[in-house]
Amino acid sequence: MPRLSKLSPGAVGPEAREEFDHFLRERGNIPNMFRTIAHRPEIMRTMTAHFRAVMNTGTVEKKLKEMIAVRVSFVNQCDYCLSSHTVLAGKMGVTGEEIDALRRDNLGCFAERERVALEFAGKLTTDSTRVSDDLFAKLRAHFDEGEIVEIAAVAGIFNYFNRVNNALQMEPTL
Protein backbone atom coordinates (compact mmCIF):
# COMPACT_ATOMS: atom_id res chain seq x y z
CA MET A 1 0.00 0.00 0.00
CA PRO A 2 1.52 3.35 -1.01
CA ARG A 3 2.24 5.76 1.81
CA LEU A 4 1.28 8.90 -0.12
CA SER A 5 -1.52 9.69 -2.55
CA LYS A 6 -1.12 9.99 -6.31
CA LEU A 7 -2.46 13.18 -7.84
CA SER A 8 -4.74 13.02 -10.85
CA PRO A 9 -4.25 15.40 -13.77
CA GLY A 10 -7.27 17.40 -12.61
CA ALA A 11 -5.77 17.89 -9.14
CA VAL A 12 -2.54 19.58 -10.21
CA GLY A 13 -1.65 23.12 -11.22
CA PRO A 14 -0.27 24.25 -14.56
CA GLU A 15 3.37 23.42 -13.76
CA ALA A 16 2.66 19.79 -12.97
CA ARG A 17 0.01 19.55 -15.68
CA GLU A 18 2.61 20.40 -18.32
CA GLU A 19 4.80 17.51 -17.10
CA PHE A 20 1.80 15.18 -16.91
CA ASP A 21 0.89 16.05 -20.52
CA HIS A 22 4.46 15.32 -21.59
CA PHE A 23 4.31 11.88 -19.96
CA LEU A 24 0.98 11.14 -21.62
CA ARG A 25 2.41 12.03 -25.04
CA GLU A 26 5.67 10.17 -24.40
CA ARG A 27 4.45 7.05 -22.56
CA GLY A 28 0.68 7.00 -22.72
CA ASN A 29 0.49 7.21 -18.92
CA ILE A 30 1.73 9.26 -15.99
CA PRO A 31 4.07 7.18 -13.81
CA ASN A 32 2.85 6.89 -10.22
CA MET A 33 6.16 8.18 -8.91
CA PHE A 34 5.66 11.50 -10.69
CA ARG A 35 1.97 11.61 -9.73
CA THR A 36 3.12 11.36 -6.11
CA ILE A 37 6.07 13.73 -6.36
CA ALA A 38 3.65 16.24 -7.95
CA HIS A 39 2.66 17.19 -4.40
CA ARG A 40 5.73 19.42 -4.86
CA PRO A 41 5.63 20.48 -8.53
CA GLU A 42 8.98 22.26 -8.39
CA ILE A 43 10.65 19.00 -7.28
CA MET A 44 8.79 16.98 -9.91
CA ARG A 45 9.82 19.44 -12.63
CA THR A 46 13.53 19.27 -11.74
CA MET A 47 13.31 15.52 -11.22
CA THR A 48 11.88 14.95 -14.69
CA ALA A 49 14.36 17.36 -16.28
CA HIS A 50 17.28 15.55 -14.64
CA PHE A 51 15.87 12.15 -15.60
CA ARG A 52 15.45 13.17 -19.24
CA ALA A 53 18.93 14.72 -19.39
CA VAL A 54 20.52 11.58 -17.93
CA MET A 55 18.62 9.07 -20.03
CA ASN A 56 18.16 10.93 -23.33
CA THR A 57 21.40 12.83 -23.93
CA GLY A 58 25.05 11.92 -24.37
CA THR A 59 26.76 9.15 -26.29
CA VAL A 60 26.25 6.09 -24.07
CA GLU A 61 23.67 3.98 -25.85
CA LYS A 62 20.17 3.92 -24.36
CA LYS A 63 20.20 0.13 -24.16
CA LEU A 64 23.20 0.22 -21.81
CA LYS A 65 21.61 3.00 -19.76
CA GLU A 66 18.49 0.85 -19.31
CA MET A 67 20.63 -2.15 -18.33
CA ILE A 68 22.33 0.03 -15.70
CA ALA A 69 18.92 1.20 -14.44
CA VAL A 70 17.79 -2.42 -14.14
CA ARG A 71 21.03 -3.57 -12.46
CA VAL A 72 20.87 -0.78 -9.86
CA SER A 73 17.16 -1.46 -9.27
CA PHE A 74 17.85 -5.16 -8.68
CA VAL A 75 20.61 -4.31 -6.19
CA ASN A 76 18.20 -1.98 -4.36
CA GLN A 77 15.25 -4.37 -4.71
CA CYS A 78 13.06 -1.66 -6.20
CA ASP A 79 10.00 -3.36 -7.63
CA TYR A 80 8.61 -0.03 -8.81
CA CYS A 81 11.55 0.76 -11.11
CA LEU A 82 11.98 -2.87 -12.16
CA SER A 83 8.36 -3.07 -13.29
CA SER A 84 8.90 -0.40 -15.93
CA HIS A 85 12.60 -0.55 -16.74
CA THR A 86 12.79 -4.29 -17.40
CA VAL A 87 10.07 -3.73 -20.01
CA LEU A 88 11.91 -0.73 -21.48
CA ALA A 89 15.18 -2.69 -21.54
CA GLY A 90 13.40 -5.54 -23.34
CA LYS A 91 12.09 -3.10 -25.95
CA MET A 92 15.70 -2.04 -26.54
CA GLY A 93 16.84 -5.61 -27.16
CA VAL A 94 17.89 -6.81 -23.70
CA THR A 95 16.93 -10.49 -23.54
CA GLY A 96 15.17 -12.27 -20.71
CA GLU A 97 18.39 -14.18 -20.02
CA GLU A 98 20.29 -10.89 -19.73
CA ILE A 99 17.65 -9.47 -17.37
CA ASP A 100 18.05 -12.60 -15.24
CA ALA A 101 21.85 -12.19 -15.31
CA LEU A 102 21.43 -8.60 -14.08
CA ARG A 103 19.20 -9.88 -11.28
CA ARG A 104 21.71 -12.56 -10.23
CA ASP A 105 24.77 -10.28 -10.63
CA ASN A 106 26.14 -12.80 -13.10
CA LEU A 107 27.58 -10.39 -15.65
CA GLY A 108 29.72 -12.87 -17.59
CA CYS A 109 27.26 -13.03 -20.49
CA PHE A 110 27.80 -9.37 -21.36
CA ALA A 111 30.46 -7.91 -23.62
CA GLU A 112 33.45 -6.48 -21.72
CA ARG A 113 32.34 -2.88 -22.30
CA GLU A 114 28.85 -3.51 -20.91
CA ARG A 115 30.17 -5.68 -18.07
CA VAL A 116 32.56 -2.97 -16.87
CA ALA A 117 29.82 -0.31 -16.89
CA LEU A 118 27.46 -2.65 -15.03
CA GLU A 119 30.13 -3.56 -12.47
CA PHE A 120 30.87 0.13 -11.89
CA ALA A 121 27.16 0.91 -11.48
CA GLY A 122 26.80 -1.96 -9.02
CA LYS A 123 29.80 -0.82 -6.99
CA LEU A 124 28.60 2.78 -7.03
CA THR A 125 25.33 1.44 -5.59
CA THR A 126 26.73 -0.80 -2.87
CA ASP A 127 29.86 1.09 -1.78
CA SER A 128 30.80 4.15 -3.82
CA THR A 129 33.81 4.87 -1.61
CA ARG A 130 35.46 1.64 -2.68
CA VAL A 131 35.48 1.78 -6.48
CA SER A 132 38.89 0.22 -7.11
CA ASP A 133 41.54 1.79 -9.30
CA ASP A 134 41.52 -1.43 -11.33
CA LEU A 135 37.78 -1.18 -12.04
CA PHE A 136 38.11 2.49 -12.89
CA ALA A 137 41.00 1.78 -15.27
CA LYS A 138 38.82 -0.80 -17.05
CA LEU A 139 36.04 1.77 -17.25
CA ARG A 140 38.46 4.31 -18.79
CA ALA A 141 39.58 1.72 -21.36
CA HIS A 142 36.05 1.57 -22.76
CA PHE A 143 34.55 5.00 -22.11
CA ASP A 144 35.63 8.62 -22.36
CA GLU A 145 35.24 10.95 -19.40
CA GLY A 146 31.87 12.30 -20.54
CA GLU A 147 30.53 8.77 -20.91
CA ILE A 148 31.76 7.89 -17.41
CA VAL A 149 29.80 10.88 -16.14
CA GLU A 150 26.72 9.53 -17.96
CA ILE A 151 27.13 6.05 -16.47
CA ALA A 152 27.61 7.46 -12.96
CA ALA A 153 24.58 9.73 -13.44
CA VAL A 154 22.34 6.81 -14.53
CA ALA A 155 23.40 4.79 -11.50
CA GLY A 156 23.01 7.84 -9.28
CA ILE A 157 19.55 8.83 -10.43
CA PHE A 158 18.28 5.27 -10.12
CA ASN A 159 19.69 5.01 -6.61
CA TYR A 160 17.74 8.18 -5.84
CA PHE A 161 14.55 6.92 -7.50
CA ASN A 162 14.88 3.45 -5.94
CA ARG A 163 15.22 4.84 -2.45
CA VAL A 164 12.31 7.26 -2.81
CA ASN A 165 10.07 4.60 -4.35
CA ASN A 166 10.98 1.96 -1.78
CA ALA A 167 10.52 4.28 1.21
CA LEU A 168 7.18 5.61 -0.06
CA GLN A 169 6.07 2.08 -1.04
CA MET A 170 5.22 3.31 -4.51
CA GLU A 171 2.85 1.13 -6.51
CA PRO A 172 4.14 0.16 -9.95
CA THR A 173 2.45 2.00 -12.77
CA LEU A 174 0.26 -0.30 -14.81
Side-chain angles (χ1 to χ4, degrees):
M1 178 67 86
R3 291 181 163 159
L4 300 176
S5 63
K6 302 175 296 248
L7 297 177
S8 68
V12 299
E15 261 188 285
R17 181 63 194 174
E18 185 178 320
E19 292 296 334
F20 279 19
D21 289 345
H22 184 91
F23 277 117
L24 287 170
R25 286 190 305 275
E26 183 180 77
R27 295 180 175 211
N29 66 23
I30 304 160
N32 288 339
M33 178 175 75
F34 295 103
R35 291 178 61 201
T36 301
I37 300 300
H39 284 283
R40 288 295 178 262
E42 61 282 1
I43 294 173
M44 186 190 68
R45 190 180 67 253
T46 60
M47 203 175 179
T48 57
H50 188 200
F51 176 68
R52 289 180 184 126
V54 167
M55 296 303 284
N56 297 327
T57 66
T59 58
V60 173
E61 52 281 359
K62 286 186 178 189
K63 178 182 176 183
L64 180 54
K65 288 181 178 183
E66 284 298 333
M67 289 192 303
I68 291 166
V70 169
R71 178 70 196 121
V72 168
S73 297
F74 273 126
V75 171
N76 290 323
Q77 300 175 24
C78 183
D79 293 336
Y80 179 90
C81 289
L82 287 168
S83 71
S84 61
H85 289 278
T86 54
V87 171
L88 290 170
K91 288 180 179 179
M92 293 185 182
V94 180
T95 67
E97 293 80 22
E98 290 171 326
I99 297 287
D100 191 52
L102 293 170
R103 180 185 58 77
R104 293 181 289 111
D105 193 23
N106 182 11
L107 306 178
C109 66
F110 296 100
E112 175 71 13
R113 183 174 190 275
E114 294 170 334
R115 185 171 49 252
V116 169
L118 293 164
E119 285 177 28
F120 175 70
K123 191 62 172 176
L124 185 148
T125 300
T126 60
D127 190 355
S128 62
T129 65
R130 288 196 167 66
V131 173
S132 71
D133 290 340
D134 181 56
L135 176 56
F136 207 81
K138 289 177 186 175
L139 195 64
R140 281 184 167 281
H142 293 282
F143 299 96
D144 66 33
E145 290 182 349
E147 290 169 328
I148 294 170
V149 168
E150 287 180 61
I151 292 165
V154 173
I157 200 165
F158 275 89
N159 273 289
Y160 166 36
F161 287 177
N162 292 169
R163 284 164 173 76
V164 168
N165 288 316
N166 285 344
L168 299 181
Q169 298 179 354
M170 204 72 66
E171 287 180 317
T173 306
L174 302 177

